[in-house]
């Protein structure tokens, strides 16, 4: 092969490599933008998981969280499981951000995905409690409504009750803060005052 | 502890490989054999260390040590022992670790088998094996570290991907495929070794072709076992969907097949030298491209591992290898000058040239189709998928032409054909005409008819070589037919190994054409004791049952299968529900017979057992696809036993190294070849 032919081969090879590099930069093709963005969040009513099994052997506290009760607030919904490795990675970021915005009209909830309350309790003991309630989703009905592909996924719902952001895989504190600040700066729609269940573990 | 052992082993592998590369350069420059010996020692060391790292990971998977990130990702207490072992290759990091083991094995094998060689070519070859090794060990130490720490330690994990837990072929398919993929590194290393040391003589061609044959055999087995797995597990009745990952394994197979043929043209005619080196380099680059495509998450595919930054490393590595190889090729153009020419357009050389052109076009087509979604998105911002219609329309004519060439090639001689050779084509041509007629009467389409005709044609010419050769021996030496056949093959392993591989792929072609052209496909819903008839089979729905197994819940429909009034089988298509997976995984029930497969998938059922919905398919000759694959593997194995011509042409050995007994035996075998079959005398 002469240098000239090698040069021609490189003219083919280099754009091919550039194409592949572009494919990498473009991001994951499987992540299609969620059709739920800017749409009203699917409402739900979920039982709050008890931090320890109650004396009568129940896994729930008896309280129920209804998303529509939080209109006028920012809600961060984090789907997670004890068997999911990235969930462990994002755990501290969620806990810190939740603490930072506790008194500023931002409500955090964890939603347990395909897991048992027992395993979740052990997980929370190991990782340090979340500092906000975890909700049980029997039969993954809410996960299906929200179009979950896996865990972790985190949704941020604005004061108007619309989903403003969906984050795949582990979230960072920076991602959460940026979006929450943006949503808090928006004017609040006229809405009924929310009632937050007083639960903490 | 296990984490520490495993991680240190990968770290030391990297160190050993890097040392080996430096020592190879240093040893070649200073011409010091003691340093070159340490290069071989480095190759052995990487193998030992990779073995330790892999065993450590298997141990961690079996003992459910969730403090190790890979185990936390794919392990689960519910996973049975055998599946825990093979989950070594069920996700990205583990598969890279296993890849490293296979690569280190190849590097050590090359170093060991050629430990008595003293020429620079082997030193560079060992060095190149370690360069590629160093790249993979670097991935394990950094971006794809399987031995990461998880703290606090999880109680349990999700278990491996359910699709991979469902069939014993998952224990076989990835190792075979990896042996094929990774094995292609060896011919590449020899090519670079030959170019760098300017020893582009016959010797490297022999060595490279033999190693390519080995890798080709395993790649073939890997691809066919993957097709078989997909047929037995995915439940759609097919085995090939032109998925990017399937294409990624096909691409190097095509270029390696081209090389195996074109190498013989170089050997006989001194032509195609640059082309051959280019094919070897392309094959290697395509294996890396395939790995990149499956592990970077760049294309949507059923097999893709979750991506990550690892893609950038592959890209940079691929770029360096591509540019380096091209520069080397350009700088060595003198050594690769053609020394021969064609005698006749109807010779075997010409057929090989055509075969190479078509295989190159095939490769280009598959590559284009695979990457087209990326091109379209880059150019126009639209997301497209390129599916079966494109690939089938573009590749079927090429495939059919290859079948034809496979029939013509063995019938034509090297050099110039005579009337005798053309007469040899009369019988195969008649078989082709009859096959075509039968196919048309059965209602086959154009491509299928051509497929049947050319497959029949080529089977006849290839089989005739065996029969004529054995017949000649029987008459001349008075051997019994079976003895004559086996001695014929033994005396000419390369030639008859090749014909065997041809017969394998032709048998496979018959299976592919028949099963895609004449499949019956019905969807039926049955109540208890109701029956449905598809083809010659009557299927009765008897019962439905569910059972909890340790790691899954199984639902199966019990079906009685009748042919006429005779009950021939009880089939149980299943649905498996895995705890951490939303969708059930099908296990179709397959009754394979030589003439057709009955393939039943359970699609849906009522919990009370009042009805079940089934997909019932009857696929003619399908089992011959797998049998053909096995024959191809055997054929490559036979060809592999040929060790090259008598030692006369190879480089002189170092003084004091005795010529081995094996070589002397090979010499005797070559002598026998001459007596039995004059055509095979090396030119």
């Amino acid at each position: 092969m002469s240098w000239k032919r090698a040069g021609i081969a490189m003219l083919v090879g280099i754009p091919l490599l550039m194409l592949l590099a572009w494919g990498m930069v473009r991001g994951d093709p499987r992540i299609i933008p969620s059709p739920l963005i800017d749409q009203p969040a699917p409402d739900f009513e979920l039982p709050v998981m008890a931090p320890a099994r109650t004396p009568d052997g129940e896994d729930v506290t008896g309280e129920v969280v209804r998303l529509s009760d939080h209109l006028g607030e920012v809600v961060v919904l984090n789907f997670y499981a004890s068997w999911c490795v990235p969930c462990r990675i994002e755990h501290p970021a969620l806990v810190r951000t939740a603490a930072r915005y506790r008194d500023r009209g931002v409500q955090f909830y964890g939603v347990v995905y395909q897991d048992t309350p027992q395993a979740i309790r052990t997980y929370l003991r190991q990782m340090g409690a979340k500092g906000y309630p975890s909700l049980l989703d029997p039969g993954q009905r809410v996960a299906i409504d929200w179009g979950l592909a896996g865990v972790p996924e985190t949704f941020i719902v604005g004061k108007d009750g619309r989903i403003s952001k969906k984050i795949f895989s582990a979230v960072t504190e920076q991602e959460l803060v940026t979006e929450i600040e943006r949503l808090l700066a928006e004017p609040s729609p006229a809405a009924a005052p929310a009632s937050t269940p007083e639960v903490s573990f | 502890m296990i984490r520490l052992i495993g991680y240190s082993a990968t770290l030391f592998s990297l160190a050993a490989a890097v040392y080996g590369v430096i020592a190879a350069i240093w040893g070649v420059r200073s011409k010091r054999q003691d340093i070159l010996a340490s290069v071989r020692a480095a190759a052995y060391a990487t193998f030992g260390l990779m073995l330790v790292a892999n065993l450590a990971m298997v141990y961690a998977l079996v003992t459910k040590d969730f403090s190790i990130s890979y185990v936390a990702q794919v392990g689960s207490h519910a996973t049975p022992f055998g599946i825990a072992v093979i989950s070594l290759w069920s996700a990205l990091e583990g598969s890279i670790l296993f890849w490293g083991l296979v690569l280190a094995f190849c590097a050590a094998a090359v170093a060991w088998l050629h430990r008595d060689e003293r020429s620079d070519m082997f030193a560079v070859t060992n060095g190149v094996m370690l360069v590629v090794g160093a790249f993979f060990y670097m991935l394990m130490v950094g971006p794809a570290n399987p031995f990461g720490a998880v703290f606090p330690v999880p109680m349990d994990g999700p278990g491996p991907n359910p699709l991979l837990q469902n069939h014993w072929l998952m224990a076989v398919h990835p190792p075979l495929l990896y042996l094929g993929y990774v094995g292609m590194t060896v011919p590449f290393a020899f090519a670079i070794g030959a170019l760098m040391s300017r020893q582009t003589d016959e010797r490297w061609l022999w060595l490279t072709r033999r190693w390519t044959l080995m890798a080709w055999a395993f790649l073939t087995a890997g691809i066919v076992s993957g097709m078989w797995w997909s047929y037995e597990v995915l439940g759609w009745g097919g085995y090939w969907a032109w998925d990017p990952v399937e294409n990624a394994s096909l691409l190097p197979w095509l270029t390696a097949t081209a090389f195996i043929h074109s190498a013989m043209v170089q050997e006989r005619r001194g032509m195609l030298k640059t082309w051959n080196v280019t094919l070897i380099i392309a094959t290697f680059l395509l294996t890396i491209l395939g790995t990149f495509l499956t592990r970077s998450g760049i294309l949507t595919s059923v097999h893709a591992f979750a991506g990550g930054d690892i893609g950038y490393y592959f890209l940079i590595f691929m770029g360096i290898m591509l540019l380096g190889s091209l520069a080397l090729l350009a700088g060595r153009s003198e050594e690769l000058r053609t020394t021969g020419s064609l005698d006749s357009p109807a010779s075997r050389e010409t057929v090989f040239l055509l075969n190479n052109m078509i295989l190159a076009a095939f490769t280009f087509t598959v590559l284009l189709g695979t990457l087209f979604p990326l091109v379209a998105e880059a150019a126009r911002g639209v997301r497209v998928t390129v599916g079966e219609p494109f690939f089938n329309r573009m590749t079927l004519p090429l495939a059919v032409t290859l079948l034809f060439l496979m029939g013509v090639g063995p019938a034509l001689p090297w050099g110039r054909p005579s009337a005798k050779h053309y007469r040899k084509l009369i019988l195969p041509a008649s078989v082709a005409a009859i096959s075509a007629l039968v196919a048309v009467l059965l209602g086959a389409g154009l491509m299928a008819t051509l497929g049947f005709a050319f497959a029949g044609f080529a089977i006849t010419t290839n089989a005739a070589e065996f029969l004529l050769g054995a017949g000649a021996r029987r008459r001349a030496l008075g051997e019994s037919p079976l003895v004559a056949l086996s001695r014929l093959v033994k005396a000419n392993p390369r030639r008859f190994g090749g014909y065997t591989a041809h017969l394998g792929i032709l048998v496979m072609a018959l299976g592919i054409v028949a099963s895609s052209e004449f499949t019956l496909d019905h969807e039926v819903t049955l109540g208890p004791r109701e029956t449905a008839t598809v083809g010659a089979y009557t299927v009765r729905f008897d019962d439905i049952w569910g059972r909890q197994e340790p790691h899954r819940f199984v639902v199966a429909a019990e079906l009685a299968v009748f042919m006429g009034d005779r009950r021939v089988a009880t089939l149980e298509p299943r649905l498996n529900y895995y705890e951490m997976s939303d969708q059930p995984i099908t296990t179709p029930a397959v009754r394979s017979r030589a003439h057709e497969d009955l393939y039943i998938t359970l699609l849906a059922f009522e919990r009370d057992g009042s009805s079940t919905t089934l997909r019932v398919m009857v696929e003619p000759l399908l089992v011959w696809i797998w049998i053909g694959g096995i024959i191809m593997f055997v054929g490559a194995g036979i060809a592999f036993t040929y060790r090259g011509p008598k030692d006369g042409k190879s480089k002189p050995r170092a003084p004091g190294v005795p010529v081995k007994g094996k070589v002397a035996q090979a010499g005797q075998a070559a002598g026998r070849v001459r007596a039995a079959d004059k055509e095979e005398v090396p030119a």
Side-chain angles (χ1 to χ4, degrees):
Chain A
M1 191 184 282
S2 66
W3 282 104
K4 200 171 127 196
R5 274 206 246 162
I8 295 169
M10 282 184 203
L11 283 181
V12 179
I14 291 170
L16 187 68
L17 288 173
M18 282 166 64
L19 177 72
L20 295 175
W22 174 82
M24 288 294 298
V25 178
R26 153 201 70 149
D28 190 335
R30 280 165 295 182
I31 298 179
I32 42 173
S34 170
L36 294 172
I37 300 295
D38 288 332
Q39 299 299 313
D43 198 11
F44 59 74
E45 272 186 50
L46 288 179
V48 174
M49 198 186 90
R53 185 163 281 195
T54 58
D56 20 309
E58 289 287 327
D59 287 319
V60 291
T61 59
E63 277 153 304
V64 168
V65 168
R66 194 176 295 106
L67 182 68
S68 47
D69 289 346
H70 289 292
L71 224 55
E73 282 184 309
V74 174
V75 178
V76 177
L77 209 59
N78 169 245
F79 289 84
Y80 75 104
S82 70
W83 44 264
C84 134
V85 175
C87 298
R88 287 165 189 268
I89 296 167
E90 68 175 4
H91 182 93
L94 282 162
V95 173
R96 269 199 308 275
T97 321
R100 179 166 164 184
Y101 289 101
R102 180 167 297 152
D103 305 319
R104 294 183 55 191
V106 181
Q107 184 58 49
F108 279 65
Y109 290 112
V111 182
V112 174
Y113 180 75
Q114 292 192 350
D115 211 339
T116 60
Q118 195 189 350
I120 286 290
R121 276 196 292 265
T122 316
Y123 170 82
L124 291 176
R125 258 201 306 282
Q126 284 179 341
M127 302 294 299
K130 286 244 181 204
Y132 54 84
S134 280
L135 312 176
L136 293 179
D137 180 16
Q140 278 77 51
R141 282 172 200 284
V142 173
I144 291 167
D145 282 349
W146 286 62
L148 216 70
V151 275
E153 280 184 18
T154 304
F155 293 86
I156 305 178
V157 182
K159 294 178 197 166
D160 55 357
R162 288 170 189 273
I163 296 176
S164 79
K165 196 171 176 65
K166 175 176 183 178
I167 300 159
F168 290 88
S169 198
V171 298
T172 60
E173 202 167 343
Q174 189 55 47
E175 274 177 307
L176 288 171
V177 167
T178 311
E179 187 64 14
I180 290 170
E181 288 293 344
R182 189 179 74 77
L183 290 174
L184 286 176
E186 282 181 355
S188 186
S195 68
T196 311
E198 292 297 319
V199 187
S200 56
F201 10 118
Chain B
M1 186 58 196
I2 285 293
R3 206 178 79 75
L4 190 69
I5 294 173
Y7 190 71
S8 333
T10 57
L11 204 60
F12 287 130
S13 305
L14 177 60
V18 169
Y19 166 78
V21 174
I22 295 168
I25 298 169
W26 179 22
V28 168
R29 296 224 155 165
S30 62
K31 307 220 174 301
R32 281 177 58 180
Q33 288 300 332
D34 55 335
I35 293 170
L36 291 180
S38 78
V39 178
R40 290 193 290 275
Y44 306 149
T46 56
F47 176 52
L49 289 162
M50 270 295 113
L51 201 59
V52 169
N54 276 266
L55 288 176
M57 181 54 81
V58 170
Y59 180 80
L61 284 165
V62 169
T63 57
K64 327 282 181 199
D65 183 349
F66 295 113
S67 69
I68 293 175
S69 57
Y70 186 69
V71 183
Q73 194 189 332
V74 302
S76 154
H77 281 298
T79 307
F81 177 83
I83 291 168
V85 172
I86 66 167
S87 49
L88 176 62
W89 47 72
S90 71
L92 176 77
E93 290 84 358
S95 76
I96 298 266
L97 185 64
F98 182 62
W99 184 289
L101 174 66
V102 179
L103 185 58
F105 169 76
C106 288
V110 170
W112 175 256
L113 292 173
H114 304 295
R115 64 191 179 283
D116 296 333
E117 302 281 353
R118 291 293 171 264
S119 78
D120 283 356
M121 182 176 98
F122 292 92
V124 180
T125 302
N126 285 330
V128 174
M129 290 303 294
L130 291 171
V131 167
V132 181
F135 169 69
F136 278 94
Y137 309 141
M138 182 202 70
L139 292 181
M140 281 170 225
V141 169
N145 175 15
F147 291 102
V150 183
F151 188 82
V153 178
M155 299 298 289
D156 201 353
N161 184 335
L163 273 178
L164 307 182
Q165 302 186 36
N166 228 2
H167 202 276
W168 63 269
L169 275 168
M170 251 311 120
V172 180
H173 160 62
L176 287 173
L177 195 67
Y178 284 18
L179 272 169
Y181 253 42
V182 176
M184 293 297 176
T185 313
V186 182
F188 171 75
F190 271 112
I192 301 295
L195 287 176
M196 281 197 158
S197 61
R198 298 180 190 271
Q199 286 166 358
T200 53
D201 54 8
E202 306 289 302
R203 187 75 198 286
W204 92 263
L205 191 70
W206 281 108
L207 286 167
T208 308
R209 189 168 181 277
R210 198 148 178 254
W211 277 101
T212 309
L213 263 179
M214 189 212 74
W216 182 90
F218 283 113
L219 190 56
T220 305
I223 294 173
V224 175
S225 60
M227 287 157 68
W228 198 359
W229 169 81
S230 129
Y231 178 72
E232 295 277 342
V233 170
L234 296 184
W236 58 286
Y239 41 82
W240 190 267
W242 297 106
D243 181 87
V245 172
E246 293 167 349
N247 298 347
S249 65
L250 184 63
L251 289 167
W253 187 88
L254 291 169
T255 49
T257 309
F259 171 77
I260 289 171
H261 291 90
S262 64
M264 311 230 287
V265 179
Q266 176 174 348
E267 185 193 315
R268 301 268 173 174
R269 294 270 145 196
M271 297 165 65
L272 302 180
K273 289 180 180 172
T274 306
W275 174 244
N276 281 330
V277 182
T278 311
L279 279 178
I280 284 299
I281 292 169
T283 303
F284 171 72
L285 288 174
L286 286 170
T287 63
I288 300 291
L289 176 73
T291 321
F292 167 76
L293 291 180
T294 47
R295 281 163 181 77
S296 63
I298 186 172
L299 293 169
T300 326
S301 151
V302 287
H303 305 246
F305 291 107
D309 294 340
I310 188 169
Y312 293 109
Y313 291 80
F314 271 101
L315 213 50
I316 292 167
F317 180 65
M318 213 157 38
I320 293 171
M321 289 290 150
L322 174 70
L323 299 183
S325 311
L326 282 175
L328 194 57
L329 266 178
R332 295 290 186 271
S333 54
E334 277 302 303
E335 277 80 4
L336 298 171
R337 195 177 291 268
T338 291
T339 50
S341 64
L342 287 180
D343 286 344
S344 158
S347 62
R348 195 179 285 187
E349 299 80 310
T350 317
V351 176
F352 277 14
L353 286 181
L354 284 173
N355 140 306
N356 263 249
M357 281 157 66
I358 290 172
L359 284 169
F362 208 135
T363 310
F364 177 76
T365 309
V366 176
L367 188 63
L368 180 72
T370 309
L371 293 181
F372 189 75
L374 210 55
V375 178
E377 202 184 328
R380 299 186 36 218
V382 287
R383 289 213 169 146
V384 297
T385 50
V386 179
E388 270 184 82
F390 168 84
F391 287 105
N392 286 345
R393 189 167 303 167
M394 297 298 286
T395 60
L396 279 180
L398 297 173
V400 163
T401 317
L402 283 174
L403 292 181
F404 173 70
L405 291 178
M406 243 182 280
V408 179
L412 291 177
W414 294 98
R416 207 176 284 278
S418 65
K420 177 191 86 167
H421 293 107
Y422 293 122
R423 276 201 299 275
K424 264 167 85 180
L425 287 172
I426 295 175
L427 176 68
S430 341
V431 172
I434 295 167
S435 313
L437 190 66
V438 173
V440 169
L441 290 178
L442 287 171
L446 174 65
M447 277 299 149
T449 304
L450 288 176
F452 280 122
F454 292 151
F457 174 68
I459 286 176
T460 316
T461 54
N462 282 277
E465 293 295 315
F466 285 92
L467 298 178
L468 293 175
R473 278 190 81 102
R474 203 165 59 85
R475 276 192 303 279
L477 305 167
E479 294 166 346
S480 76
L482 274 181
V483 172
L485 193 65
S486 78
R487 290 211 177 137
L488 176 79
V489 172
K490 249 185 222 156
N492 294 304
R494 192 166 64 138
R495 188 167 149 209
F496 285 98
Y499 294 156
T500 308
H502 282 173
L503 286 174
I505 199 161
L506 291 164
V507 163
M508 178 187 276
L510 281 182
I512 291 173
V513 177
S515 65
S516 24
E517 194 71 11
F518 298 120
T519 284
L520 300 173
D521 186 353
H522 290 275
E523 206 177 299
V524 293
T525 301
L526 299 177
R529 313 292 292 177
E530 281 181 2
T531 61
T533 301
V534 177
Y537 303 94
T538 301
V539 177
R540 189 180 67 202
F541 171 45
D542 280 352
D543 193 14
I544 193 143
W545 51 263
R547 182 174 70 213
Q548 181 67 48
E549 290 183 359
H551 58 308
R552 62 187 184 190
F553 187 77
V554 179
V555 174
E558 206 177 296
L559 309 170
V561 178
F562 297 87
M563 291 183 85
D565 294 333
R566 200 161 50 89
R567 182 174 178 142
V568 291
T570 306
L571 292 182
E572 287 187 347
R574 298 174 172 208
L575 287 173
N576 299 324
Y577 293 81
Y578 289 86
E579 208 170 307
M580 299 305 182
S581 169
D582 292 332
Q583 289 187 337
I585 306 295
T586 56
T587 302
V590 189
R591 179 182 186 267
S592 286
R593 289 295 178 272
H595 66 295
E596 64 190 12
D597 275 18
L598 174 65
Y599 187 100
I600 304 182
T601 314
L602 174 58
L603 294 178
F605 59 91
E606 290 297 331
R607 275 164 192 275
D608 58 7
S610 61
S611 87
T612 180
T613 303
L614 306 166
R615 185 172 181 196
V616 185
M617 300 173 84
V618 179
E619 307 193 64
L621 303 185
L622 196 128
V623 75
W624 294 94
I625 298 174
W626 324 134
I627 296 172
I630 294 167
I631 299 175
M632 284 163 81
F633 187 78
V634 170
I638 293 172
F640 183 74
T641 59
Y642 184 54
R643 292 167 165 273
K646 277 195 305 171
D647 228 22
K649 272 183 189 166
S650 63
K651 300 293 291 180
R653 285 166 172 261
V657 179
V659 173
K660 289 221 173 129
K662 281 178 200 159
V663 178
Q665 280 168 17
Q668 285 164 12
R672 277 208 306 275
V673 173
R674 277 183 203 148
D677 183 356
K678 293 225 165 62
E679 275 182 34
E680 187 62 10
V681 177

